[in-house]
Amino acid sequence: LRCANLEGAMMSGVDLSGAVLDSANLMGASLTDSDLTNADLRCANLEGAMMSGVDLSGAVLDSANLMGASLTDSDLTNADLRCANLE
């Protein structure tokens, strides 16, 4: 799913563990309660994404845009957030 345009996609509760989503556009997507463990999300656009309860443990979010994303109750254990935009 590298560079995929998934803007506004409704993907709540999906298993995307280990998925390669680098440079994907997930702006405004709903990923609530999804499994993104060890996913590659470097340079992904997650602006305004609904990510409550998402398991992001071990995920690579290097240089990802998370501006306005909802991460309530999400697991970010060992996630790589270098250079990520969290404003």
Side-chain angles (χ1 to χ4, degrees):
L1 297 171
R2 180 175 285 136
C3 299
N5 183 5
L6 299 168
E7 183 174 348
M10 304 299 288
M11 300 188 298
S12 296
V14 298
D15 182 356
L16 291 170
S17 54
V20 178
L21 291 156
D22 63 289
S23 300
N25 180 14
L26 292 152
M27 184 176 186
S30 176
L31 295 160
T32 305
D33 298 321
S34 293
D35 183 357
L36 287 162
T37 55
N38 300 310
D40 181 353
L41 291 155
R42 72 187 89 211
C43 299
N45 182 11
L46 294 153
E47 183 176 343
M50 293 166 278
M51 301 175 70
S52 297
V54 173
D55 188 350
L56 288 160
S57 54
V60 179
L61 293 151
D62 183 20
S63 299
N65 179 13
L66 293 155
M67 188 169 68
S70 170
L71 294 165
T72 306
D73 296 324
S74 292
D75 184 355
L76 292 159
T77 305
N78 296 320
D80 179 357
L81 294 162
R82 285 178 291 163
C83 300
N85 181 3
L86 300 168
E87 290 186 43

